[in-house]
Amino acid sequence: MNAQADNPKILLVDDEAAITENLAPFLTRAGFTVSVANDGVIALELISSYQPDLLVLDVLMPRLDGRAVLRRLRQENNTVPIILLTQVGESVERAMALEEGADDYLNKPFDPHELVARIRAVLRRAQPGVQPLTTAQQLVSGPLMLDRTSQRVYLNQKELTLTPKATMLLAYLMTHPDELMTRDRLLDAVWGWDYPAGTRTVDTRIAELRRAIGDDSTEPRFIETVPGQGYRFVASVTSHTESNR
Amino acid sequence: MKRHWLFTLIPAVVGAIIVLLVNLGVGIPWTRVEGSINPRLTIAIAATMSTWGFTVGIVLSTILITVAQLWSWRIRTQTKLEDQKSQASAERREFLQRLDHELKNPLTALRAGLANFSSIDSPPSGSQIKILNSIEEQAIRLSRLTADLRKISELENRPLDQYPLDIGQLLEEVFELIQDQPVARQRKLNLNIPQAPRPLPRLMGDWDLLILAFYNLLDNALKFTKPNDAIDLRAREEGEFVSVEIADTGPGIQAEDLPHLWEALYRGDAGRNVAGSGLGLALVKAIVERHEGSIDLDSHPGQGTSVTVRLPIRDD
């Protein structure tokens, strides 16, 4: 391994040797320094000694599974960025993963290039010591506020009427600001499935969101259209944990 | 179930009624000789009638008992068959879930391994790249299959996003979506949604899932028809349901394929060369059933196929 000292350090946690043996060299070539753990217990031990910049964490593992590792780290106020590799794949399960404080997740089997893109995006977003947006109770962007616990959205302190899908979509966009979101990725994250015409479904909900938050698609304050590619939440987002009122 | 043994009492009851009638002195007109009752004749006739009554009763009882037995046997077999069927489908579902699970890790490793080729120091040659691309294509195809399997198992369990919806508007949207496919231009597509005497009533449903279901059905019709075939999408109110029909003038489906069409991964002979995962109709069925609706398929080889989805009218 010709890893450079300033390469981001990734801890890859998966019990399946066939995966780590193939994925670790790939991530190394993509410019990361990679260390491997075969289960959650080893991962927890390595985190304190290895001090990784990011964890790629499988969910289903013997001894201590990925979600338990995630919970334990967050309880200890460890904000190391985590990308979960889910395979149960239930959309409820995935939403839960984000609520428990994962920075992102990928469904197995995934495109390894997609994993690299996600790692880079999460690393870019993460600031040491600052609570990641994905674990924030409230997401605030200028006059727009989304309370994730109650699933309510406010604009200038006035509550908006949104369908649950539109709220989930807004939450996903706000937790990934400045990141290009393809329609396929949004479909997968919010709807849990994709199909040929599904991308139109995304457009419909984006239109609903824009109407509700008063965003003009030609001069967007919040959601920008990236022609031929997808959408991007362009405004800056901050997290609040204290309850509102 | 044991009630039908009561039928054995019929002969006794018939006999008893006749004897009673005779005893009550109602008498039988032809037993009167010169105005007075002839006791001998009365008894003889009463006995004959009782015998007849008894015989008829026995025959009746036998028939009734046999019918009752056959009926209860039929119901028992039916429930048994239904039990077996639902158990089999639960087992199949569980098997598919396990299969999905077991496919995911090797596929992840396979795709990571393939990705390594594109970034190693001695890149593969032209002909090797072709082989690798073909392997990767198949790995992606298998990945898509596992994703589709996941969708189905998810559909059966996850809560629905149900809202009152305008089914006419939904079908118009699906109709518009399907026309984005280039092949749709080579078919005669018709949409018929009643406006008079009143528009279709509202339904409770998950908009996105129902779009997915009707899209899949129309997509199937497109796949299995040829240029200039007609595809009709029509809806109407039918009692407590809205019935949506997708009919085509395609080649139709062979009778032996009909019972299996809704099974995951089933492909009839006609479907072998058609692109798709073999999960489309299973997905449609799961969506319709989650909406407490029903789905029927009627096909005449050489003439065409029509699929009817019935969704309950609810607006609460």
Side-chain angles (χ1 to χ4, degrees):
Chain A
M1 291 200 198
N2 50 358
Q4 285 162 17
D6 53 353
N7 277 359
K9 286 194 285 184
I10 309 287
L11 179 59
L12 177 60
V13 194
D14 198 313
D15 60 315
E16 190 81 16
I19 290 176
T20 52
E21 276 165 17
N22 282 301
L23 213 48
F26 180 73
L27 292 177
T28 308
R29 283 192 200 92
F32 304 108
T33 303
V34 184
S35 205
V36 171
N38 296 318
D39 66 43
V41 178
I42 302 172
L44 282 177
E45 283 163 12
L46 270 175
I47 285 166
S48 44
S49 61
Y50 180 65
Q51 296 280 326
D53 296 305
L54 185 141
L55 249 73
V56 176
L57 187 59
D58 186 31
V59 170
L60 283 181
M61 286 185 297
R63 293 219 284 173
L64 194 64
D65 71 25
R67 299 204 21 218
V69 174
L70 172 65
R71 264 197 302 272
R72 196 169 303 181
L73 286 171
R74 296 304 186 234
Q75 270 161 20
E76 292 165 3
N77 288 323
N78 188 330
T79 57
V80 59
I82 294 175
I83 294 177
L84 273 185
L85 303 181
T86 57
Q87 54 175 341
V88 181
E90 299 269 331
S91 48
V92 182
E93 181 105 349
R94 279 176 277 151
M96 223 137 72
L98 287 181
E99 263 159 40
E100 280 170 1
D103 293 75
D104 211 342
Y105 60 83
L106 265 179
N107 276 320
K108 278 183 174 178
F110 50 82
D111 176 1
H113 297 97
E114 178 71 21
L115 175 63
V116 170
R118 300 280 182 102
I119 291 175
R120 293 208 175 110
V122 170
L123 284 175
R124 224 182 5 253
R125 224 166 43 220
Q127 292 163 39
V130 175
Q131 185 199 24
L133 289 174
T134 43
T135 61
Q137 204 182 321
Q138 291 172 357
L139 301 161
V140 181
S141 178
L144 188 63
M145 197 273 273
L146 188 148
D147 189 295
R148 301 179 80 201
T149 327
S150 63
Q151 290 288 302
R152 288 172 202 270
V153 181
Y154 303 84
L155 186 71
N156 295 318
Q157 267 109 35
K158 243 180 83 188
E159 192 182 341
L160 302 176
T161 326
L162 288 175
T163 57
K165 276 277 150 53
T167 310
M168 267 173 85
L169 181 62
L170 182 63
Y172 196 75
L173 286 168
M174 285 183 85
T175 45
H176 300 80
D178 221 28
E179 214 178 307
L180 168 65
M181 290 289 164
T182 61
R183 292 176 177 84
D184 285 336
R185 179 163 165 198
L186 290 172
L187 261 182
D188 185 57
V190 179
W191 281 264
W193 39 260
D194 54 22
Y195 67 109
T199 49
R200 281 265 207 119
T201 307
V202 178
D203 296 344
T204 313
R205 295 297 163 199
I206 292 274
E208 178 196 337
L209 266 181
R210 277 181 170 153
R211 259 196 314 276
I213 61 181
D215 215 16
D216 177 3
S217 63
T218 56
E219 222 175 298
R221 270 190 305 171
F222 302 108
I223 303 166
E224 177 189 80
T225 308
V226 185
Q229 298 191 65
Y231 298 98
R232 184 186 277 133
F233 197 89
V234 280
S236 70
V237 181
T238 50
S239 59
H240 287 243
T241 358
E242 74 275 356
S243 76
N244 172 34
R245 271 182 290 174
Chain B
M1 275 257 279
K2 280 178 186 154
R3 262 194 322 237
H4 59 258
W5 292 110
L6 288 173
F7 297 139
T8 50
L9 292 175
I10 287 175
V13 172
V14 172
I17 289 171
I18 291 167
V19 173
L20 196 71
L21 286 176
V22 174
N23 278 343
L24 278 176
V26 173
I28 301 156
W30 60 87
T31 63
R32 290 173 190 270
V33 177
E34 288 163 11
S36 64
I37 291 171
N38 181 337
R40 280 192 177 199
L41 205 53
T42 304
I43 287 167
I45 287 176
T48 313
M49 286 181 77
S50 298
T51 312
W52 272 107
F54 195 69
T55 313
V56 168
I58 283 178
V59 172
L60 264 177
S61 318
T62 315
I63 292 172
L64 286 173
I65 287 169
T66 313
V67 167
Q69 278 286 21
L70 281 174
W71 184 253
S72 72
W73 176 76
R74 209 188 117 191
I75 287 178
R76 258 205 309 270
T77 339
Q78 235 169 27
T79 12
K80 209 169 144 193
L81 268 176
E82 268 158 29
D83 281 357
Q84 275 172 352
K85 237 164 99 183
S86 73
Q87 200 193 337
S89 85
E91 273 167 17
R92 195 176 51 238
R93 214 163 14 211
E94 201 181 314
F95 169 74
L96 286 177
Q97 267 174 28
R98 263 190 244 147
L99 178 73
D100 173 33
H101 239 105
E102 289 308 316
L103 283 173
K104 276 174 177 170
N105 274 335
L107 272 173
T108 309
L110 184 61
R111 293 187 68 175
L114 283 166
N116 270 327
F117 271 107
S118 58
S119 56
I120 51 178
D121 304 329
S122 54
S125 69
S127 60
Q128 283 169 326
I129 288 178
K130 218 173 141 195
I131 296 168
L132 288 172
N133 281 345
S134 138
I135 298 175
E136 184 160 33
E137 229 167 76
Q138 297 310 311
I140 290 173
R141 186 173 156 192
L142 275 175
S143 304
R144 218 173 287 138
L145 175 72
T146 64
D148 282 352
L149 284 172
R150 191 198 74 210
K151 269 185 243 169
I152 292 186
S153 78
E154 221 179 275
L155 262 180
E156 282 164 356
N157 305 314
R158 78 160 168 204
L160 294 186
D161 247 351
Q162 298 218 63
Y163 287 92
L165 55 85
D166 179 341
I167 182 79
Q169 193 193 337
L170 187 141
L171 293 173
E172 274 164 20
E173 190 172 320
V174 179
F175 193 72
E176 200 181 301
L177 281 171
I178 203 76
Q179 296 188 54
D180 286 351
Q181 290 202 25
V183 68
R185 261 171 256 139
Q186 299 162 359
R187 309 282 187 273
K188 289 179 230 148
L189 292 170
N190 302 300
L191 175 71
N192 185 349
I193 293 172
Q195 300 299 330
R198 54 189 166 142
L200 291 171
R202 287 168 87 77
L203 306 173
M204 282 294 286
D206 187 316
W207 178 277
D208 297 335
L209 286 181
L210 288 175
I211 290 241
L212 177 63
F214 290 118
Y215 184 89
N216 265 339
L217 289 175
L218 277 174
D219 189 47
N220 254 12
L222 279 184
K223 276 183 193 158
F224 288 95
T225 47
K226 294 191 175 62
N228 288 322
D229 268 329
I231 300 172
D232 286 5
L233 172 62
R234 49 181 173 253
R236 64 198 171 95
E237 201 176 330
E238 206 183 83
E240 290 164 13
F241 296 88
V242 167
S243 130
V244 181
E245 192 181 3
I246 291 118
D248 66 56
T249 56
I253 299 162
Q254 295 302 318
E256 63 262 33
D257 290 335
L258 283 175
H260 307 289
L261 285 178
W262 311 104
E263 292 169 11
L265 300 177
Y266 181 83
R267 265 171 195 269
D269 282 338
R272 279 190 219 292
N273 298 317
V274 173
S277 60
L279 291 168
L281 283 182
L283 194 69
V284 171
K285 188 166 189 252
I287 293 174
V288 172
E289 282 177 355
R290 281 302 307 270
H291 283 83
E292 284 154 34
S294 67
I295 186 160
D296 294 295
L297 193 143
D298 186 32
S299 188
H300 300 277
Q303 289 176 28
T305 304
S306 90
V307 180
T308 308
V309 174
R310 284 185 188 81
L311 296 168
I313 297 169
R314 278 193 300 140
D315 191 6
D316 41 42

